[in-house]
């Protein structure tokens, strides 16, 4: 299909991006202000959120509001300046890194939010490494400039040394904290004034204007202009191609809380973030590349979310479209099962709000309500012949037995645990011997979220108990080798949510010991879903 075809043209105006940061760097605040800057416009019309509603658009789960953190990825779609933005808000807490990884597979670019006082923090580093694995281009937004901050040159040096990424400032700040007066726009040679208590921050000023001379004290102006001159000479100039290849990051400064720098960030995303590109897939065993403008509609499931609407036991698959023009009522096939489904009620997202999607294109994220037909990692297409790379499960770091306080609710617990495991809230292992379920988590907060959701959504009170296992590994081997191993380690064998064999070990040492004795069996830390 030609680049001027309707699907190709529509895909070209899509921007799918994720926001990554360490907890408390201001990610959710920036998300809300990007929605405000974009007018929070969805395909079918404007939805302007105000007051308390606006502050909680992306953190829609009860536990998120109570704790002030994001624990579930959410998607928000809005039109702005002729472009369609799909904003994927990722969990900031490291205990939900799997959900973040899966969400990043649906993004074409990322905004990395740094706290101006703290710079690059541990979780920022982990999320950056995930972006690097996928070669996702990154825009850096240095937040909280209206508070005391590190020297901006030190922040740039940290980006260069810790991330091996060339920072290319598009702006330069005038002071920080109480002295923060705004930024010099290096691309357009103008000054953007910051007014701490104003509803709007005022129009841009020419660098040689009387207005700027009246706004900045002579020493403030001299300091800002010297810094801007030095950074122009010392830093690499912004190169769009180097940015797209993941070698260079444009850097902007601002205050999300004060809505300063947010409009400029949105403009940079529109101008430089890539539209959807080629996606590798398998067709009849052969590797092919799917173009956004291809005729066939295709996509993959990167997230399952249940009970977004507490009044209905809903279950929605988040599907990133990779090609074609999707229209409501289309029939799509699931590659690994061959099942065909009519998508009669597809939805576009605005966090927990949704509306019917009449059409969508590559780069869009649509929700498909279903009752267990779709799983994380599934590939969808009109022919059912395309398979995209599956999404990984990672070996959990915490294993716990879980049981309902009411023994009569054991069947209800089984169904609830399976539903949460399919979402990726935690992992679920069913030991071959015994009736207790074993759940796996990256961190303690995952278990707390799980208990909260079991109580709130399923009316189940549960108890987590120490499991006799500390490690889990997926097994890969020929059938005879696997059967031999399983027969000798029956008490340590389990199945995951997809029925794959898992070895539950008492320690990492035990895994090493067993692996030496069974060289024909692979003990894997990750497993592809779908």
């Amino acid at each position: 299909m030609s680049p001027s075809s309707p699907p190709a043209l529509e895909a070209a105006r899509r921007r799918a991006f994720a926001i990554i940061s360490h907890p408390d760097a201001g990610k959710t605040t920036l998300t809300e202000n990007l929605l405000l800057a974009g007018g929070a416009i969805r395909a079918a019309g404007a939805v302007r959120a105000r007051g308390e509603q606006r502050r909680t658009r992306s953190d829609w789960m009860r536990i998120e509001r109570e704790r002030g953190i994001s624990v579930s990825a959410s998607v928000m779609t809005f039109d702005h300046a002729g472009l369609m933005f799909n904003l994927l808000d990722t969990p900031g807490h490291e205990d939900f890194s799997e959900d973040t990884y899966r969400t990043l597979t649906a993004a074409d670019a990322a905004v990395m939010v740094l706290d101006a006082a703290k710079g690059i923090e541990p979780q920022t580093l982990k999320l950056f490494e995930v972006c690097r694995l996928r070669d996702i281009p990154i825009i850096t937004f240095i937040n909280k400039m209206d508070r005391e901050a590190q020297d901006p040159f030190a922040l740039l040096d940290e980006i260069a040394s810790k991330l091996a990424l060339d920072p290319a400032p598009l702006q330069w700040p005038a002071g920080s904290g109480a002295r923060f007066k705004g930024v010099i726009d290096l691309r357009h040679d103008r000054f953007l004034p910051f007014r701490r208590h104003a509803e709007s921050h005022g129009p841009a000023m020419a660098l040689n204007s009387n207005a700027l001379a009246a706004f900045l004290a002579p020493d403030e102006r001299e300091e800002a202009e010297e810094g801007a001159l030095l950074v122009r000479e010392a830093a690499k100039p912004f190169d769009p191609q180097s940015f797209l290849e993941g070698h260079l990051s444009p850097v902007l400064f601002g205050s999300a809380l004060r809505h300063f720098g947010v409009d400029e960030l949105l403009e940079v995303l529109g101008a430089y973030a890539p539209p959807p590109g080629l996606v590798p897939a398998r067709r009849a065993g052969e590797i092919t590349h799917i173009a956004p403008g291809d005729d066939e509609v295709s996509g993959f499931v990167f997230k399952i979310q249940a009970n977004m609407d507490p009044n209905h036991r809903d279950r929605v698959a988040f599907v990133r479209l990779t090609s074609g023009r999707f229209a409501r009522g289309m029939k799509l096939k699931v590659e690994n099962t061959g099942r065909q489904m009519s998508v009669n009620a597809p939805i576009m997202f605005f966090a927990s709000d949704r509306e019917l999607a009449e059409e969508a294109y590559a780069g869009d994220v649509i929700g498909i309500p279903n009752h267990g037909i779709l799983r994380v990692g599934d590939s969808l297409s009109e022919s059912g012949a395309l398979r995209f790379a599956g999404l990984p499960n990672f070996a959990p770091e915490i294993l716990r037995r879980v049981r309902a306080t009411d023994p009569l609710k054991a069947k209800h617990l089984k169904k609830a645990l399976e539903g949460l495991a399919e979402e990726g809230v935690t992992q679920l292992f069913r030991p071959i011997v015994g009736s207790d379920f074993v759940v796996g988590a990256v961190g303690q907060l995952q278990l707390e979220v799980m208990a909260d959701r079991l109580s709130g959504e399923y009316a189940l009170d549960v108890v987590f108990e120490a499991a006799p296992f500390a490690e889990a590994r997926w097994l890969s081997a020929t059938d005879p080798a696997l059967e031999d191993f399983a027969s000798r380690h029956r008490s340590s064998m389990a199945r995951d949510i997809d029925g794959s064999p898992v070895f539950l070990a008492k320690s990492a040492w035990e895994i090493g010991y067993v692996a030496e004795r069974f060289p024909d069996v692979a003990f894997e830390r990750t497993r592809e879903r779908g």
Side-chain angles (χ1 to χ4, degrees):
M1 186 174 277
S2 76
S4 60
S5 68
L9 290 174
E10 282 294 331
R13 72 181 194 94
R14 262 60 181 175
R15 300 291 184 271
F17 70 99
I19 301 183
I20 61 172
S21 80
H22 192 84
D24 300 323
K27 176 177 61 64
T28 298
T29 305
L30 178 61
T31 298
E32 307 297 346
N33 276 276
L34 280 168
L35 296 175
L36 190 65
I41 297 172
R42 294 181 283 176
V47 176
R48 298 188 179 275
R50 305 184 181 197
E52 185 61 28
Q53 273 190 311
R54 182 181 64 75
R55 285 196 291 276
T56 59
R57 277 293 181 182
S58 60
D59 286 345
W60 54 271
M61 293 170 65
R62 186 188 70 174
I63 193 168
E64 293 179 309
R65 293 196 181 109
E66 287 175 353
R67 300 196 180 204
I69 55 171
S70 299
V71 300
S72 177
S74 57
V75 179
M76 287 140 283
T77 299
F78 60 95
D79 257 322
H80 179 68
L83 298 174
M84 179 73 85
F85 290 89
N86 287 291
L87 189 166
L88 295 94
D89 183 28
T90 62
H93 200 284
E94 62 184 351
D95 286 5
F96 297 89
S97 52
E98 269 194 37
D99 198 14
T100 298
Y101 187 97
R102 287 192 286 265
T103 302
L104 286 171
T105 63
D108 297 316
V111 173
M112 177 171 65
V113 184
L114 300 183
D115 185 318
K118 299 176 182 175
I120 294 168
E121 299 177 85
Q123 182 63 5
T124 319
L125 198 56
K126 286 183 181 179
L127 294 172
F128 171 77
E129 291 301 334
V130 172
C131 290
R132 174 149 281 174
L133 285 173
R134 301 199 59 250
D135 293 323
I136 295 177
I138 293 174
I139 297 167
T140 301
F141 183 77
I142 297 179
N143 192 26
K144 303 186 182 181
M145 286 302 298
D146 55 330
R147 303 182 188 179
E148 289 307 316
Q150 290 187 43
D151 178 78
F153 282 105
L155 289 166
L156 296 184
D157 286 343
E158 193 174 18
I159 293 170
S161 60
K162 285 191 176 180
L163 304 183
L165 190 67
D166 292 325
L170 303 182
Q171 301 171 339
W172 193 251
S176 68
R179 295 179 62 248
F180 182 56
K181 291 297 182 69
V183 296
I184 295 175
D185 183 343
L186 301 176
R187 289 184 301 159
H188 303 114
D189 288 323
R190 59 183 184 167
F191 186 81
L192 305 176
F194 172 76
R195 291 182 172 88
R196 186 173 297 269
H197 301 296
E199 286 189 13
S200 65
H201 297 287
M205 303 173 180
L207 292 180
N208 57 358
S209 67
N210 292 331
L212 181 59
F215 186 73
L216 289 181
D219 62 323
E220 292 175 328
R221 183 171 177 177
E222 181 182 359
E223 180 186 343
E225 289 180 345
E226 278 185 9
L229 181 64
L230 184 57
V231 82
R232 281 185 196 271
E233 295 175 352
K236 285 199 174 185
F238 176 64
D239 173 28
Q241 189 57 38
S242 184
F243 161 65
L244 292 176
E245 292 170 357
H247 307 310
L248 176 146
S249 176
V251 180
L252 298 99
F253 297 83
S255 168
L257 186 63
R258 305 289 180 187
H259 198 81
F260 182 77
V262 178
D263 295 295
E264 289 70 32
L265 173 60
L266 194 56
E267 186 261 320
V268 166
L269 275 163
Y272 302 118
L278 296 174
V279 181
R282 285 188 174 273
R283 190 197 299 270
E286 298 290 323
I287 295 284
T288 184
H289 285 83
I290 307 305
D294 286 352
D295 283 318
E296 183 176 13
V297 172
S298 64
F300 60 87
V301 179
F302 68 92
K303 175 181 173 63
I304 299 288
Q305 184 70 57
N307 304 328
M308 289 177 77
D309 182 352
N311 297 320
H312 302 90
R313 286 277 181 222
D314 64 345
R315 187 178 182 281
V316 178
F318 286 55
V319 177
R320 158 68 193 246
L321 294 177
T322 52
S323 66
R325 174 187 175 275
F326 170 84
R328 181 183 167 196
M330 274 187 125
K331 289 182 168 59
L332 296 177
K333 275 187 181 178
V334 186
E335 183 272 338
N336 62 340
T337 64
R339 292 184 68 172
Q340 187 176 67
M341 57 191 301
S342 294
V343 188
N344 296 317
I347 52 182
M348 295 290 270
F349 295 103
F350 191 77
S352 61
D353 293 347
R354 74 278 296 275
E355 65 185 23
L356 282 176
E358 295 298 335
E359 65 175 17
Y361 297 87
D364 283 335
V365 174
I366 62 170
I368 300 180
N370 71 102
H371 297 285
I373 296 173
L374 295 176
R375 311 281 291 272
V376 168
D378 278 349
S379 301
L380 293 167
S381 60
E382 289 178 273
S383 66
L386 292 175
R387 178 182 174 82
F388 299 99
L391 308 183
N393 269 348
F394 300 97
E397 295 178 20
I398 298 174
L399 293 171
R400 293 286 185 271
R401 279 179 169 155
V402 58
R403 62 177 177 82
T405 53
D406 182 351
L408 297 178
K409 292 187 175 181
K411 283 188 178 179
H412 188 35
L413 175 64
K414 175 178 181 290
K415 188 174 181 180
L417 290 176
E418 287 173 348
L420 293 179
E422 285 179 5
E423 284 184 47
V425 175
T426 51
Q427 293 184 46
L428 180 63
F429 304 109
R430 288 169 284 202
I432 303 297
V433 177
S435 58
D436 285 339
F437 292 100
V438 174
V439 294
V442 174
Q444 181 63 32
L445 184 58
Q446 268 186 296
L447 297 177
E448 292 176 24
V449 169
M450 182 183 199
D452 184 84
R453 290 192 59 187
L454 286 170
S455 172
E457 296 170 22
Y458 297 95
L460 280 168
D461 291 323
V462 299
V463 176
F464 293 108
E465 299 173 337
F469 313 109
E471 302 279 345
R473 294 291 185 272
W474 284 276
L475 303 179
S476 177
T478 61
D479 286 344
L482 190 58
E483 287 173 10
D484 178 48
F485 178 84
S487 66
R488 294 167 184 250
H489 297 86
R490 187 171 169 78
S491 62
S492 299
M493 291 296 296
R495 297 274 175 184
D496 70 2
I497 186 68
D498 296 318
S500 299
V502 177
F503 176 62
L504 300 176
K506 295 180 177 62
S507 65
W509 176 87
E510 184 184 10
I511 292 172
Y513 175 75
V514 172
E516 283 184 12
R517 296 184 61 207
F518 292 87
D520 295 333
V521 178
F523 297 78
E524 298 172 342
R525 283 181 168 272
T526 62
R527 180 185 166 274
E528 188 177 284
R529 296 192 66 177

